[in-house]
Amino acid sequence: MTTTQAPTTSVLQPAGSRRRVIFWRHGRTSWNAARRFQGQSDIPLDDVGVLQAARAASLLAGKLGGPGQMAAVRIISSDLSRARDTARALSALTGTPVTEDRRLRETFGGSWEGKTFEDIERGDPALIKLWQLDEPGVRAGGGETRVEVAERMVAAVLDAAATVPEGGTLVVATHGGATRVAMAKLLGLPEELWRVLSGLSNCHWSVLEQSPPSLAGAREWHWRLTEHNVGTLPEPYELPEDLAEPVED
């Protein structure tokens, strides 16, 4: 009887002419640990976050393939330090430079930034409930709406994806809340269904693949979700924060 040994790496399958986008959430910060609404406040990685970024970068580097395949990889990042430093951990392993884009920032949270979710729920219970239900016109602490965040995120991703060669991969180092709504918009989900996507745990990623028009009559390329909230296996699974600790980062 023969046995099959599990692979030590998980390399992306050949994509042909299709492009992929890997949305990668940054490592942990002290505000994540304290359950504070970070928004666009520039909070750096804490010691745990630095270790998370290093480990996730090694997994992603292996997933992207060997040195000969890195020419088809591009890395872009939010200009906030927690995302930028996470992206640089991958850049150091792959030799691929990081391009920053402020459109990849997290939601601007206005008066909520820096407050714990417990404080926000006590001081602004009606608005935070609507926000957590993804009501499209609700402004986080007087800041941005989910729809505004999704629009700028998608514009940044599509601009960068257009520069990636066919069959290449775009890695987007960004934030949890911004990633969720950007993916929902790219996938064509109506706003009332955006909540069907969970958030990402720190340093986890999701993969979207660009698919050609179908034979059923579609005229444009579209996107499909092939992996979601991946990153810790074989370590214990971490509950996504929108189900456990609702931190907008």
Side-chain angles (χ1 to χ4, degrees):
M1 182 177 68
T2 61
T3 59
T4 301
Q5 185 175 2
T8 57
T9 60
S10 174
V11 178
L12 289 169
Q13 294 298 311
S17 62
R18 299 187 298 273
R19 296 177 177 87
R20 290 192 179 93
V21 175
I22 299 178
F23 287 92
W24 185 24
R25 186 187 173 197
H26 61 78
R28 198 185 81 170
T29 72
S30 61
W31 279 22
N32 285 149
R35 304 183 69 248
R36 295 186 183 277
F37 193 118
Q38 288 187 120
Q40 295 188 6
S41 299
D42 197 5
I43 310 303
L45 299 175
D46 64 13
D47 290 343
V48 170
V50 171
L51 292 174
Q52 288 175 332
R55 182 180 186 277
S58 67
L59 292 172
L60 277 176
K63 189 176 186 68
L64 293 171
Q69 297 171 280
M70 293 305 170
V73 174
R74 186 176 175 199
I75 304 172
I76 61 173
S77 172
S78 159
D79 63 342
L80 298 177
S81 62
R82 57 190 183 272
R84 182 181 66 238
D85 290 347
T86 298
R88 286 177 176 173
L90 180 61
S91 176
L93 294 177
T94 63
T96 306
V98 177
T99 301
E100 296 177 25
D101 191 330
R102 64 180 292 115
R103 292 178 294 176
L104 299 174
R105 288 184 173 194
E106 183 56 283
T107 306
F108 173 53
S111 63
W112 289 354
E113 294 196 10
K115 294 181 179 178
T116 66
F117 267 77
E118 289 80 4
D119 288 340
I120 296 171
E121 288 165 358
R122 284 193 294 267
D124 213 351
L127 194 62
I128 189 63
K129 182 176 181 180
L130 291 173
W131 170 256
Q132 291 174 335
L133 291 172
D134 281 348
E135 291 293 329
V138 172
R139 296 190 176 278
E144 287 183 292
T145 69
R146 301 278 196 195
V147 172
E148 289 169 341
V149 176
E151 288 175 347
R152 63 170 166 80
M153 282 282 295
V154 167
V157 169
L158 292 181
D159 284 350
T163 70
V164 174
E166 291 186 351
T169 300
L170 175 69
V171 180
V172 183
T174 182
H175 308 268
T179 286
R180 187 173 64 81
V181 296
M183 290 198 306
K185 187 171 179 65
L186 278 172
L187 292 169
L189 295 177
E191 292 163 9
E192 62 269 21
L193 295 181
W194 284 6
R195 291 295 292 174
V196 303
L197 288 178
S198 70
L200 299 182
S201 300
N202 285 118
C203 267
H204 284 46
W205 61 82
S206 294
V207 181
L208 267 63
E209 182 180 86
Q210 191 182 37
S211 299
S214 69
L215 298 179
R219 296 182 179 179
E220 298 180 355
W221 288 64
H222 60 279
W223 296 88
R224 63 182 180 182
L225 181 65
T226 59
E227 299 182 29
H228 185 52
N229 199 30
V230 178
T232 61
L233 294 177
E235 294 179 358
Y237 172 75
E238 297 175 14
L239 195 66
E241 286 182 350
D242 68 334
L243 301 179
E245 297 182 356
V247 177
E248 198 78 16
D249 71 348

